[in-house]
Amino acid sequence: MSRITPNIARVFLILTLAGGLNFRAEAALGEFQYVSENSAAGAFPLVSKGIAASIIVDTNDFWGIARAAGDLRDDVRRVTGAAPSDASPVVIAGTLGKCRLIDQMVEDGKLDVSRIEGKWESFLVQVVGKTLVIAGSDKRGTIYGIYDVSEHIGVSPWHWWTDVPVKHHTSLYVGPGAFEQGPPAVKYRGIFLNDEAPDLTGWVKEKFGGYNHSFYTNIFELLLRLRANYLWPAMWDNCFSADDALNPKLADEYGIVMGTSHVEPMMRADKEWNRLGYTARQWNYEKNPAELRAFWKEGLERNKPYENIITIAMRGKIDTPMSESANIALLERIVAGQRGLITEVMHTNAASVPQLWALYKEVQEYYEKGMRVPDDVTLLWCDDNWGDVRRLPTPEERHRSGGAGIYYHFDYVGGPRNYKWLNSTPNTKTWEQMNLAYRYGADRIWIVNVGHLHHVTFPTEFFLTFAWSPDSWPKERIAEFSRLFAEREFGPEHAGEIASILDTYAKLNGRRKPELLDESTFSLVNYEEADRVLADWRTLLLRALAVRLQLPEEDQNSFYELVLHPVQACEVVNALYIAAAKSRLYASQGRASANDYAAAARAFFQNDATLSAYFNHTLAHGKWDHFMDQTHIGYTYWQQPPSNNMPKVGQFEAPLEAGLGLAVEGSANAWPGTTSAAELPRFDPFGQSRHYIEVFNRGRTPFDFSATASESWIELNSTHGTVPEDQRLWVAVNWSKAPKGLSSGHITVRGADGEIDVAVSAFQPEETVSGFVESGGCVSIEAEHYTRKTDGAGASWERIENYGRTLSSMSIFPVTAASADPARGAPCMEYQFYTFDTGAVKVKAILAPTCNFVPGRGLRYGLSFDDQPPQIVDALEHNTLQDWEASVRDSVRKVDCAQVLNRPGRHVLKFWMVDPGIVLQKLVVDFGGAKPSYLGPPESYHP
């Protein structure tokens, strides 16, 4: 190919590449790595011996192609000082039918594009002779191909948004062969910048002066680097097209499809109505059809030149229902009028213009009561605002030409509580729900509410990557995505540990969103729950700090933003609430240490403010100022507090003189002062190996204590000491000395002129036990620890690793399997267990909070003991607003089933498939002994 010179710039635009290499294995997540530092036969020298290649873009091609090529040039320059010369090799980037050099190669038989030609957003990267070709099937296909090369040389899509550095290298070779991607599985994939205040709005105003094109071009570029193509812009007090006329123009030139949110029909921002002087009351089609039609027509005319998906229908102002009941006739009239406007303005059949109807909240009721829109309109089904899909297409609905999509949430303002601060959605949950969506045919549009974006970078990339190719990311590869993400951002050495930290953080934060935490969330007295929760967070924080110490200076800001700060901030908030809770409990017990915990809580509250201030003002020299303005402590109802509120703490005015006090595990009472006797939970060889007594001081003067056991089989970790404030005594049983059957004894604690007895009982069975063994009046079983699993015809129980509050989950695959009958060979999991009690029991199934996404079916499973016939349970039989709120607050749905066990001994609990979509996390067989706690009793002993 002859050398192209700047003299013919009217035909071709030449962009020089000054580049090098930031090469990390599998730099593009999950793809074959086609870029290397080492040359090979047939490889293309993008950068070699200090010389960088030139890139050629046809001037007849789309503007966005040249712009993306300029980004590639800058990406390479960012990591090397290499410069092009007259002898530079050539990269040709172009769109089929738009780039004459590529078209000529195809015509000459030098380039086979049959695998991408005519397809949506597909591209090919291939060395042809001494030229590197980046060919796209369409505009975005070419742009994605250019950014694919950029990512393969080691430039993260988030390089600007999360300060991911690049490493300096001097050589860069593209390997021989054809590397292709596309078409995407989901046609339109994007984000919604919603709930954008205070964080994003404050930052945008400070850094850009408002939501103008200077800001949005950063969003457009990020989306394209992530192979997304769709955006709902910020809308709380912002008007994308009206605020800056360059916003829609540049979106189209970059290659971004624009839309408006579920409450903003016909390409008009919600606040445009207000700015025209209209009131919320006038947003009424029955009373003001002419004004609304004119308003909508102006929006269509303004945005007509650009690529859009038009939201149709109508909701009330400020994201509220349009009316108290589903007025189907009115809404059908509105849609018909809007379709007429589309035909009039666009001068084409409305069916040829992409449109969506967002079936959000009460709007779904219109559909369920019979309202329909033309088949070419995409039905945008929605989650429940908490990541649980409410409805998916039926087999009949999958034949609609407009298809279906999903509006999803990583951020929300509304009941039962706002959640806007930090990421609290594990990728495992996103995978499970969006896999349902894809397999049930909702594959036209996926859009996710990302709030202020910076706090959900990791789940956002997972969402968009999964949308591109769900088949590339089966459940077995969810953790692999985390590792590849960590490796791309921080290199291979610590990728495994960083990935584990990211996933563990999301798991811990996802089981109770920070905004829903309070002093009563975790039990202080049962199962050591609060202490174990705090230990989990502190262990995770220590792991993150250990990694940070091993990272180079240039990685510090990015690691802080993506990994360390979320862990550190959430550890502080959990510690704050637990300290405040302890101060209140200890004050009620008369402990002198109550004031210490109150002081600790105040210190944690200040630590939270310090972390936010550092993020805003010091990190990256204040680059991200305002991104930690979001309040998150001290909610009293669904709406966020105007400022973080210090939780109420307990105080105790302790006298100077010492006073003996005692508390025991499993009780909030204290002795002396309680009429009932102090008693530890019963010991057995199968439950907790130890329980505790807390000896505490009711005064300010330390005292000496002693503790003695009445029986030789009762063991204490300490028998004497000095108590300034609190002393925890651990009590265990020596089972080699304990008699068979039920035994009793006591521990006597003396000190400060007082004496208190604590009853101790132990049960050691004579028989041999097997399976999960009852302890404390219940049997607790993690779902993945089945004894036996039987698959059915075309369906089976399979594990979703690490999805759940405590361990993993079991669900039915394929998710589109037909409902099954336990009496006719349905898939079944069996759990062997052993009980000492008999009688009525409750079998509590801990399930993911899945909604009834298949109309008219329910969400059922079967349950049986031993050889009894299965009892069919509908997880959604009781699904009031209060039931739903409890399920999303708790991140699980708890379903009780009454059963009877007529004999002690060995049993088998059978959990049967009925409907797909059930996600089982845990089972608890409760004789009445399960103690109040958030996470439930820890898993029972099973030899």
Side-chain angles (χ1 to χ4, degrees), residues 499-714:
S500 176
I501 292 168
L502 285 169
D503 289 339
T504 304
Y505 159 81
K507 185 185 185 77
L508 296 181
N509 221 32
R511 64 190 181 188
R512 186 77 171 187
K513 295 182 185 297
E515 294 85 347
L516 282 158
L517 292 171
D518 60 32
E519 303 89 317
S520 64
T521 300
F522 301 113
S523 176
L524 298 178
V525 298
N526 293 319
Y527 309 122
E528 302 173 52
E529 183 174 67
D531 290 341
R532 289 190 294 113
V533 166
L534 195 52
D536 287 343
W537 277 111
R538 288 182 171 163
T539 298
L540 190 65
L541 177 57
L542 289 174
R543 291 172 60 192
L545 289 169
V547 172
R548 188 184 193 185
L549 290 174
Q550 300 175 71
L551 293 177
E553 180 62 30
E554 61 265 25
D555 284 330
Q556 292 298 319
N557 283 349
S558 181
F559 184 78
Y560 186 80
E561 294 166 39
L562 288 170
V563 184
L564 180 56
H565 174 262
V567 173
Q568 195 168 27
C570 290
E571 187 272 341
V572 165
V573 169
N574 278 266
L576 162 64
Y577 280 116
I578 290 172
K582 286 188 174 182
S583 76
R584 292 166 66 170
L585 173 64
Y586 291 0
S588 72
Q589 293 174 335
R591 298 197 196 196
S593 62
N595 299 340
D596 294 340
Y597 282 96
R602 295 188 188 97
F604 288 129
F605 186 74
Q606 181 56 51
N607 288 350
D608 173 84
T610 300
L611 289 172
S612 294
Y614 174 82
F615 198 106
N616 282 343
H617 308 307
T618 304
L619 175 67
H621 305 291
K623 179 179 178 180
W624 305 115
D625 191 17
H626 296 293
F627 270 121
M628 281 301 133
D629 286 354
Q630 176 63 52
T631 57
H632 48 276
I633 299 173
Y635 277 74
T636 57
Y637 70 119
W638 71 265
Q639 182 59 281
Q640 67 190 42
S643 61
N644 287 326
N645 296 319
M646 172 67 196
K648 183 179 178 181
V649 295
Q651 296 286 147
F652 177 67
E653 296 297 327
L656 176 63
E657 62 274 13
L660 171 65
L662 186 144
V664 297
E665 181 178 348
S667 175
N669 294 325
W671 291 265
T674 301
T675 56
S676 60
E679 182 178 5
L680 284 171
R682 177 175 294 178
F683 288 89
D684 59 49
F686 318 112
Q688 290 178 235
S689 61
R690 59 181 189 171
H691 296 294
Y692 63 81
I693 298 170
E694 288 191 325
V695 182
F696 61 83
N697 196 341
R698 284 178 161 159
R700 288 177 283 149
T701 302
F703 67 86
D704 294 331
F705 82 95
S706 65
T708 56
S710 65
E711 309 297 329
S712 62
W713 47 267
I714 302 175

Side-chain angles (χ1 to χ4, degrees), residues 772 779-783 785 831 833 909 921-923 939-940:
F772 290 89
V779 182
S780 180
I781 305 169
E782 293 286 352
H785 291 157
Y831 301 89
F833 67 103
L909 172 60
Q921 297 183 5
K922 195 172 186 178
L923 290 163
E939 187 171 34
S940 298

Side-chain angles (χ1 to χ4, degrees), residues 235-263:
M235 52 79 69
W236 269 19
D237 195 25
N238 309 293
C239 304
F240 179 79
S241 296
D243 288 342
D244 186 341
L246 285 176
N247 280 346
K249 179 178 185 296
L250 285 173
D252 189 69
E253 290 180 345
Y254 268 69
I256 298 300
V257 182
M258 291 304 303
T260 48
S261 74
H262 56 294
V263 298

Side-chain angles (χ1 to χ4, degrees), residues 59 112 167 192 205 471 497 559 586 608 662 671 765 797 866 880 928:
T59 55
D112 180 5
K167 309 296 183 183
F192 180 19
K205 288 181 178 179
D471 289 336
E497 176 67 353
F559 184 78
Y586 291 0
D608 173 84
L662 186 144
W671 291 265
W797 290 102
D866 303 324
T880 64

